[in-house]
Amino acid sequence: MKTIDELIADGVGGKRVFVRADLNVPLDGATITDDGRIRAVQPTIAKLAQNGAKVIVASHLGRPKGAPDPAFSLAPAAARLSELLGRDVAFATDTVGDRARDTVAALGDGEVAVLENLRFNPGETSKDDAERGAFADQLAQLADLYVGDGFGAVHRKHASVYDLPARLPHAAGDLIATEVAVLKKLTEDVKRPYAVVLGGAKVSDKLGVIDHLLERADRILIGGGMAYTFLAAQGHEVGISLLQKDQIPAVQEYLKRAAAKGVEFVLPVDVLVSADFPDLKTKAPANPDTVAADAIPADKEGLDIGPRTRELYASKLADAATIFWNGPMGVFEHPDYAGGTKAVAQGLLDSSAFTVVGGGDSAAAVRQLGFDENAFGHISTGGGASLEYLEGKTLPGLAALED
Ligand SMILES: Nc1ncnc2c1ncn2[C@@H]1O[C@H](COP(=O)(O)OP(=O)(O)OP(=O)(O)O)[C@@H](O)[C@H]1O
Ligand SMILES: O=C(O)[C@H](O)COP(=O)(O)O
C-alpha cells in the first residue's frame, strides 16, 4: 500500500484529494455523543491540507435507505471537524450533485470540504457492480487523488470504499496504517492466554469471527446481544431478547468444537431483564430484574450481564496476556445497563494484558463511562472491520488500496 507520505512526496499541492473517512459517529439528535472517529481521521485531513491539497472528506453515517434523510446528515460531523481543525470546513448538502461540484470547485489550496452522507445515494451500497461503478464514476469526477482512511468501513464492498480507489491514484491514510499494524499483531505472535470478549448488537455480522477465534483464542467471553443466541443454543428460554434464530445450529457447532479443542466459552450466568427497552433520551429509571441466565421470563429481554457474570468475566480476564474486546455487554447508553460494560472495561485495565478495544460503540462506551482511552493498548475505530480483519478475510477497502 502506498502511504500518505509517499502520496504527499509525489505532490498533492493544488490537487483535489478525496478522503474516504468513517465519520459514522453516535448522535443524540444533532449532537455528537462521541467524536472519537472524527478525531482519529483528523490528522490525515490536516496533513493533506497543510501540504496544499484541496481536501474532500466523504463518509457514511448510519444506515439510511439510499435517499436523503435529515436524521443521518453529516452536517454535525462537518461542524465538529471544523472545530478540531481550527478552521472553516465547507459542507456540501449533496454528494455528487451541483452543490458538491460547486463546493469542490470553490475550494482553495489547503481548504477542506465535507460531502453529505454517501449512503443517501443507492449506488453507494448497491450489490450490483454496474450501479456501484456508475456512482463511483460520479465521485471520481470530483477528485484527482484518493486516500482511504475510513478503517471502520473497509469491510464493506461499497462504491466509495472499493470501486472509487480503482478509478484514481490512491494511498492509505495514517489511521488505516496504524489500525492494520496493531491488528496484525493479533493475527501473528499473540501472547497467551489470549482472551476475546464479544458483545454488541450486530450479531449476524459477528458470529463468523468465532469460527476463526476457535483456532486462536484460549477463552471466549460472550455478552451483549450476542449472548442470547448462545443461551438459546443451550436450550434456554431467552424471552424477547435479541436472537439470531437461524444461527443456533452454527452456535451449537461452535460450542461442540470449543469443548473438543479445549477453548473455554464463558457465557453469562445471570442477566438484567425488563419487559421494555429503556428510554435512551430521558434515561428514566428502568428498574430491571436480575435473573439467572437459564430463567429469563418469556415476556422479558436481556439488556445487560448481571453482577455474578461481571465478577466471573473479570476473573477470566485477570490472568490474560492478550485481550481483544468488541461490543458492549449491554445497552450501556442507559445507566441501569452500563454496569456490565464498565466491569469488562475495568477487567481489561486490571489485567496486565496487551488490550485492544474494537468498534465504534465499544470505543464510545469506554470514553462515555469515564475511562482514560490512553490506558488501553489500542482502541480501534472499526467494529465489524476489526473482526473481519482478525478473521483473515480479504477486506475490500484494504485490497482496493493495495496495488
Ligand atoms: N442485550 C442487548 N440488547 C440489545 N442491544 C444491545 C444489547 N447489548 C448491547 N446492545 C447494543 O449494542 C450496541 C453496540 O453494538 P455494535 O455491535 O454496533 O458495537 P461495535 O462493534 O462496538 O460498534 P460498530 O459496529 O458500530 O463499530 C449498543 O448500542 C448497545 O446498546
Ligand atoms: O459502525 C461501523 O461499524 C462502521 O461505520 C460501518 O457501518 P455499517 O455496519 O453500517 O456498514
Side-chain angles (χ1 to χ4, degrees), residues 22 24 37 63 152 155-156 199-203 205-206 223-228 241-242 272 277 280 301-305 325-334 337 341 357-365 380-387:
D22 182 352
N24 184 19
R37 278 180 164 162
R63 292 177 172 176
H155 58 317
R156 301 296 182 211
K202 293 179 186 168
V203 178
D205 276 12
K206 294 179 180 180
M226 283 236 153
Y228 305 95
S241 307
L242 214 59
L272 301 192
F277 196 82
L280 301 183
E301 65 180 311
L303 293 159
D304 195 10
I305 55 172
W325 171 30
N326 170 268
M329 296 291 98
V331 182
F332 74 92
E333 295 91 339
H334 191 288
Y337 299 113
T341 303
V357 183
D361 284 300
S362 314
S380 172
T381 54
S386 58
L387 289 176

Side-chain angles (χ1 to χ4, degrees), residues 82-153:
S82 167
E83 285 167 13
L84 290 169
L85 290 169
R87 58 180 310 149
D88 284 346
V89 166
F91 181 66
T93 52
D94 63 16
T95 320
V96 288
D98 289 345
R99 281 153 301 175
R101 278 195 297 270
D102 291 349
T103 305
V104 171
L107 281 178
D109 294 358
E111 291 184 347
V112 180
V114 174
L115 305 180
E116 185 51 288
N117 195 336
L118 289 154
R119 291 187 185 172
F120 287 178
N121 305 272
E124 169 67 0
T125 57
S126 176
K127 296 224 172 350
D128 178 63
D129 290 352
E131 194 186 0
R132 262 197 347 267
F135 182 55
D137 285 340
Q138 287 180 291
L139 290 171
Q141 284 169 18
L142 294 172
D144 305 303
L145 303 170
Y146 176 95
V147 170
D149 215 20
F151 181 73

Side-chain angles (χ1 to χ4, degrees), residues 14-83:
K15 301 251 175 75
R16 300 167 302 164
V17 183
F18 187 103
V19 178
R20 197 341 176 157
D22 182 352
L23 306 181
N24 184 19
V25 288
L27 289 173
D28 180 1
T31 307
I32 295 168
T33 54
D34 183 79
D35 66 357
R37 278 180 164 162
I38 308 177
R39 284 189 286 116
V41 73
Q42 184 244 330
T44 289
I45 295 166
K47 201 188 244 186
L48 287 165
Q50 276 153 17
N51 283 282
K54 300 173 177 179
V55 189
I56 307 156
V57 183
S59 175
H60 69 288
L61 187 139
R63 292 177 172 176
K65 306 260 174 285
D69 178 344
F72 295 104
S73 173
L74 275 169
R80 182 71 189 123
L81 178 63
S82 167
E83 285 167 13

Side-chain angles (χ1 to χ4, degrees), residues 229-298:
T229 304
F230 279 80
L231 294 172
Q234 289 185 320
H236 301 312
E237 166 72 66
V238 296
I240 52 170
S241 307
L242 214 59
L243 174 64
Q244 193 78 39
K245 245 191 191 146
D246 57 331
Q247 294 292 325
I248 289 177
V251 167
Q252 284 166 335
E253 187 57 37
Y254 295 152
L255 291 168
K256 254 193 235 154
R257 263 175 59 205
K261 285 181 146 306
V263 175
E264 195 182 356
F265 252 114
V266 194
L267 298 179
V269 291
D270 60 353
V271 291
L272 301 192
V273 298
S274 170
D276 304 302
F277 196 82
D279 188 331
L280 301 183
K281 262 208 160 337
T282 64
K283 311 254 193 299
N287 304 316
D289 296 324
T290 302
V291 299
D294 59 0
I296 299 177

Side-chain angles (χ1 to χ4, degrees), residues 150-230:
F151 181 73
V154 290
H155 58 317
R156 301 296 182 211
K157 192 177 177 185
H158 291 168
S160 66
V161 177
Y162 179 72
D163 305 270
L164 182 57
R167 287 162 168 76
L168 293 172
H170 48 257
D174 286 338
L175 175 62
I176 281 194
T178 307
E179 294 271 18
V180 168
V182 175
L183 292 172
K184 208 167 178 204
K185 282 197 216 162
L186 296 185
T187 64
E188 289 168 350
D189 211 8
V190 65
K191 288 207 178 70
R192 300 187 174 280
Y194 176 23
V196 176
V197 191
L198 292 178
K202 293 179 186 168
V203 178
S204 51
D205 276 12
K206 294 179 180 180
L207 281 170
V209 74
I210 292 172
D211 206 38
H212 162 84
L213 289 173
L214 283 173
E215 306 299 324
R216 299 199 60 84
D218 299 300
R219 240 168 253 167
I220 305 175
L221 285 60
I222 306 283
M226 283 236 153
Y228 305 95
T229 304
F230 279 80

